[in-house]
Amino acid sequence: IALRVCGLESESFTNISFEVRQGEILGIAGLIGAGRTELMESIFGLRKCAGTIELMGETFSKWHTQKLIKKGMVMIPEDRKNCGIFPRRDLKENITAAQIDQFVDRRIKYFGFRHERQNAQAVIDRFRVACPGIDAYITELSGGNQQKIIVGRWLSHSPRVCMFDDPTRGVDVGVKSYIYRSMMEAKKQGVAMIVVSEIGEQWSPQTAPAMQADMEMIIISGLDFSNTATTIGIRIPKVP
């Protein structure tokens, strides 16, 4: 089990419990404003809630974001403009912000970076980001290419658990397809993923054909996205 959530409760949800194994994708569909983002942010330590989580075998009754990131959990937020990018920073800094400690050159205390430019360029090449160069401001890019930067920032962090909150919101079909393929590649590498979206958005054969194989329907207790006691989740299990 990569992530187990037990009895999470807050003003937005009640008694949420589920688990995700390594190499699985768990999809949760709900309407905007139903509490799906609040749930993801609570799991990631950005909001207070009651309950416990177990991440890669370690149980937490109190947790914060930095601790979870060090344990291998990352999150791609729903609000790209306000929560996903650093608008006054260039692409290089936007890409390496999640793991900047790896690039600090300790030979000159608190000064200088090592391999930061090479790492940023590798992410741009891997995710096929259309941009003038790594020194360009991220606000110069289209929304789809900004989203590629955000996804690339976190997937290049070698996560164990990755949460995607409506990752294809406001991007074109080509970018959607590339994000889906990147998710499936991470799945093959054993990354556990939670993907939250509007009802039907991420799971339609027309929009996400690569994610249709091996799906199974599950019930997640406590969610109330459709004014019922439970809501349907979608699990894509690890391929043996």
Side-chain angles (χ1 to χ4, degrees), residues 129-148:
V129 178
C131 64
I134 62 174
D135 295 314
Y137 283 101
I138 194 168
T139 50
E140 298 178 33
L141 274 59
S142 67
N145 283 292
Q146 289 180 13
Q147 190 70 355
K148 285 184 177 181

Side-chain angles (χ1 to χ4, degrees), residues 25-169:
I25 298 177
L26 175 65
I28 301 175
L31 299 173
I32 293 176
R36 56 188 198 175
T37 293
E38 288 81 357
L39 173 60
M40 294 298 100
E41 290 179 347
S42 297
I43 294 172
F44 199 49
L46 298 174
R47 294 173 180 263
K48 291 183 178 180
C49 69
T52 63
I53 64 172
E54 180 185 319
L55 176 61
M56 302 307 298
E58 184 173 353
T59 301
F60 301 90
S61 57
K62 295 182 180 180
W63 60 93
H64 56 81
T65 303
Q66 289 182 333
K67 176 71 172 179
L68 299 181
I69 291 175
K70 289 181 179 179
K71 287 287 293 183
M73 178 184 283
V74 301
M75 176 178 170
I76 285 80
E78 178 186 41
D79 188 344
R80 176 175 62 246
K81 181 178 179 180
N82 294 309
C83 302
I85 66 172
F86 302 101
R88 297 178 182 270
R89 299 295 180 180
D90 59 29
L91 298 183
K92 175 180 81 276
E93 293 173 293
N94 268 274
I95 291 169
T96 61
Q99 44 191 331
I100 195 64
D101 286 350
Q102 296 182 18
F103 305 110
V104 175
D105 191 339
R106 300 301 184 184
R107 291 173 297 180
I108 305 175
K109 192 173 184 180
Y110 305 123
F111 182 79
F113 295 91
R114 180 177 63 253
H115 306 312
E116 183 187 22
R117 295 184 68 86
Q118 295 94 317
N119 179 275
Q121 188 62 55
V123 170
I124 287 173
D125 293 342
R126 174 186 172 190
F127 288 88
R128 301 179 185 177
V129 178
C131 64
I134 62 174
D135 295 314
Y137 283 101
I138 194 168
T139 50
E140 298 178 33
L141 274 59
S142 67
N145 283 292
Q146 289 180 13
Q147 190 70 355
K148 285 184 177 181
I149 292 291
I150 298 169
V151 172
R153 172 203 300 161
W154 289 113
L155 289 185
S156 66
H157 194 63
S158 300
R160 309 296 294 276
V161 176
C162 188
M163 298 193 296
F164 293 83
D165 190 355
D166 208 355
T168 60
R169 179 184 181 188

